[in-house]
């Protein structure tokens, strides 16, 4: 079995008001060393497929068709073996 | 400068209806090889701190105090150098 860790973020250049709000909130708590903050989504998938190449192709397709909006979002993922 | 990639997920055992919905939607699209799906948050932070140990301590504290809810969520993060 494989586990896919998918992260989805807004593309560079797309405004991210949620990220700005988090940065302000962190600054208000005293964390003033944050130059930039972007908020995205994270999806953890447990796949029955055990072939890495096939799994990668499946996850790529899932991101394109459902998980991410390719117009405004970038995605990236890593696969790891699980018992 | 350092970049922190923070992923926040619901702890194991906490129900994740959003994840279940995504799994059903994937199955409806024909992706039937997904045994489990959990949805979480992803936060990308650009830090002015360049010392890895100090940065890690800061991010850990940010997660505890604002980014994650330690009662029901787990977090993990990685730091990477950026120019």
């Amino acid at each position: 079995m494989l586990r896919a860790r998918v992260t989805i973020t807004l593309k560079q250049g797309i405004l991210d008001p949620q990220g700005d709000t988090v940065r302000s909130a962190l600054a208000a708590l005293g964390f003033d060393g944050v130059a930039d903050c972007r908020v995205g989504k994270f999806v953890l998938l447990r796949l029955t497929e055990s072939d890495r190449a096939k799994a990668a192709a499946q996850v790529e397709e899932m991101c394109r068709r459902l998980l991410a909006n390719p117009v405004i979002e970038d995605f990236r993922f890593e696969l790891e073996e699980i018992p």
Side-chain angles (χ1 to χ4, degrees), chain A residues 9-20 22-23 36-40 72:
Chain A
T9 43
L10 288 168
K11 280 186 200 284
Q12 205 135 28
I14 307 274
L15 285 181
D16 181 3
Q18 194 185 357
D20 295 340
V22 171
R23 190 166 80 95
D36 189 39
C37 174
R38 308 279 284 172
V39 174
I72 55 164

Short mmCIF file of all heavy atoms in Angstrom, two decimals, chain A residues 9-20 22-23 36-40 72:
data_model
loop_
_atom_site.label_atom_id
_atom_site.label_comp_id
_atom_site.label_asym_id
_atom_site.label_seq_id
_atom_site.Cartn_x
_atom_site.Cartn_y
_atom_site.Cartn_z
N THR A 9 -1.69 24.54 -3.14
CA THR A 9 -1.54 25.95 -2.76
C THR A 9 -2.01 26.83 -3.91
O THR A 9 -2.01 26.41 -5.07
CB THR A 9 -0.06 26.31 -2.51
OG1 THR A 9 0.73 25.71 -3.54
CG2 THR A 9 0.41 25.81 -1.17
N LEU A 10 -2.37 28.05 -3.59
CA LEU A 10 -2.71 29.02 -4.63
C LEU A 10 -1.46 29.30 -5.44
O LEU A 10 -0.35 29.36 -4.90
CB LEU A 10 -3.23 30.30 -3.99
CG LEU A 10 -4.63 30.19 -3.38
CD1 LEU A 10 -4.94 31.40 -2.52
CD2 LEU A 10 -5.67 30.05 -4.48
N LYS A 11 -1.62 29.50 -6.74
CA LYS A 11 -0.47 29.83 -7.58
C LYS A 11 0.12 31.17 -7.15
O LYS A 11 -0.58 32.01 -6.61
CB LYS A 11 -0.92 29.98 -9.05
CG LYS A 11 -1.10 28.67 -9.78
CD LYS A 11 -1.39 28.98 -11.26
CE LYS A 11 -2.05 27.82 -11.96
NZ LYS A 11 -1.16 26.73 -12.30
N GLN A 12 1.42 31.32 -7.43
CA GLN A 12 2.07 32.59 -7.14
C GLN A 12 1.34 33.70 -7.91
O GLN A 12 0.96 33.50 -9.06
CB GLN A 12 3.53 32.52 -7.58
CG GLN A 12 4.41 33.46 -6.83
CD GLN A 12 5.70 32.77 -6.40
OE1 GLN A 12 6.15 31.83 -7.07
NE2 GLN A 12 6.30 33.22 -5.31
N GLY A 13 1.11 34.81 -7.25
CA GLY A 13 0.45 35.92 -7.93
C GLY A 13 -1.03 36.00 -7.63
O GLY A 13 -1.66 37.03 -7.83
N ILE A 14 -1.62 34.87 -7.17
CA ILE A 14 -3.03 34.88 -6.78
C ILE A 14 -3.10 35.38 -5.34
O ILE A 14 -2.37 34.88 -4.48
CB ILE A 14 -3.64 33.46 -6.86
CG1 ILE A 14 -3.41 32.82 -8.23
CG2 ILE A 14 -5.11 33.49 -6.47
CD1 ILE A 14 -4.42 33.14 -9.27
N LEU A 15 -3.94 36.37 -5.09
CA LEU A 15 -4.05 36.93 -3.74
C LEU A 15 -4.52 35.88 -2.75
O LEU A 15 -5.38 35.07 -3.07
CB LEU A 15 -5.05 38.09 -3.73
CG LEU A 15 -4.58 39.39 -4.36
CD1 LEU A 15 -5.67 40.44 -4.26
CD2 LEU A 15 -3.30 39.89 -3.69
N ASP A 16 -3.96 35.92 -1.55
CA ASP A 16 -4.31 34.93 -0.53
C ASP A 16 -4.67 35.65 0.77
O ASP A 16 -3.86 35.78 1.68
CB ASP A 16 -3.12 33.98 -0.32
CG ASP A 16 -3.42 32.90 0.71
OD1 ASP A 16 -4.57 32.86 1.22
OD2 ASP A 16 -2.52 32.12 1.03
N PRO A 17 -5.91 36.15 0.86
CA PRO A 17 -6.31 36.91 2.05
C PRO A 17 -6.24 36.08 3.33
O PRO A 17 -5.93 36.61 4.40
CB PRO A 17 -7.75 37.34 1.75
CG PRO A 17 -8.16 36.66 0.51
CD PRO A 17 -6.97 36.07 -0.15
N GLN A 18 -6.50 34.77 3.20
CA GLN A 18 -6.44 33.91 4.40
C GLN A 18 -5.01 33.86 4.93
O GLN A 18 -4.77 33.97 6.14
CB GLN A 18 -6.93 32.50 4.03
CG GLN A 18 -7.22 31.63 5.24
CD GLN A 18 -7.60 30.20 4.87
OE1 GLN A 18 -7.69 29.85 3.69
NE2 GLN A 18 -7.81 29.37 5.87
N GLY A 19 -4.05 33.74 4.00
CA GLY A 19 -2.64 33.74 4.41
C GLY A 19 -2.24 35.06 5.06
O GLY A 19 -1.54 35.07 6.06
N ASP A 20 -2.73 36.18 4.49
CA ASP A 20 -2.40 37.49 5.07
C ASP A 20 -2.96 37.60 6.49
O ASP A 20 -2.32 38.15 7.38
CB ASP A 20 -2.96 38.62 4.20
CG ASP A 20 -2.29 38.66 2.82
OD1 ASP A 20 -1.19 38.09 2.69
OD2 ASP A 20 -2.87 39.24 1.89
N VAL A 22 -3.56 35.14 8.57
CA VAL A 22 -2.76 34.31 9.48
C VAL A 22 -1.46 35.02 9.83
O VAL A 22 -1.03 35.04 10.99
CB VAL A 22 -2.48 32.92 8.85
CG1 VAL A 22 -1.47 32.13 9.67
CG2 VAL A 22 -3.77 32.12 8.72
N ARG A 23 -0.84 35.67 8.84
CA ARG A 23 0.41 36.40 9.12
C ARG A 23 0.16 37.52 10.14
O ARG A 23 0.94 37.71 11.07
CB ARG A 23 1.00 36.98 7.83
CG ARG A 23 2.40 37.53 8.05
CD ARG A 23 3.08 37.78 6.72
NE ARG A 23 2.63 39.02 6.15
CZ ARG A 23 3.29 40.18 6.30
NH1 ARG A 23 4.42 40.22 6.99
NH2 ARG A 23 2.84 41.26 5.75
N ASP A 36 6.15 36.02 4.92
CA ASP A 36 5.04 35.72 4.02
C ASP A 36 4.34 34.45 4.50
O ASP A 36 4.99 33.57 5.06
CB ASP A 36 5.59 35.52 2.59
CG ASP A 36 4.47 35.42 1.57
OD1 ASP A 36 3.48 36.14 1.70
OD2 ASP A 36 4.60 34.59 0.65
N CYS A 37 3.05 34.38 4.27
CA CYS A 37 2.30 33.20 4.68
C CYS A 37 1.25 32.89 3.62
O CYS A 37 0.54 33.78 3.17
CB CYS A 37 1.63 33.48 6.03
SG CYS A 37 0.53 32.16 6.56
N ARG A 38 1.20 31.63 3.21
CA ARG A 38 0.20 31.19 2.24
C ARG A 38 -0.51 29.99 2.85
O ARG A 38 0.14 29.10 3.43
CB ARG A 38 0.85 30.72 0.93
CG ARG A 38 1.82 31.68 0.30
CD ARG A 38 1.19 32.78 -0.51
NE ARG A 38 0.70 32.34 -1.81
CZ ARG A 38 -0.04 33.14 -2.61
NH1 ARG A 38 -0.37 34.36 -2.23
NH2 ARG A 38 -0.44 32.71 -3.77
N VAL A 39 -1.83 29.96 2.72
CA VAL A 39 -2.58 28.84 3.29
C VAL A 39 -3.13 27.99 2.15
O VAL A 39 -3.62 28.52 1.16
CB VAL A 39 -3.72 29.36 4.19
CG1 VAL A 39 -4.59 28.21 4.67
CG2 VAL A 39 -3.15 30.10 5.38
N GLY A 40 -3.03 26.70 2.32
CA GLY A 40 -3.52 25.80 1.27
C GLY A 40 -4.22 24.60 1.88
O GLY A 40 -4.60 24.60 3.04
N ILE A 72 -6.14 28.14 -10.73
CA ILE A 72 -5.57 29.04 -9.71
C ILE A 72 -4.69 28.32 -8.69
O ILE A 72 -4.08 28.97 -7.85
CB ILE A 72 -6.68 29.81 -8.94
CG1 ILE A 72 -7.70 28.83 -8.31
CG2 ILE A 72 -7.40 30.80 -9.83
CD1 ILE A 72 -8.57 29.48 -7.25
#
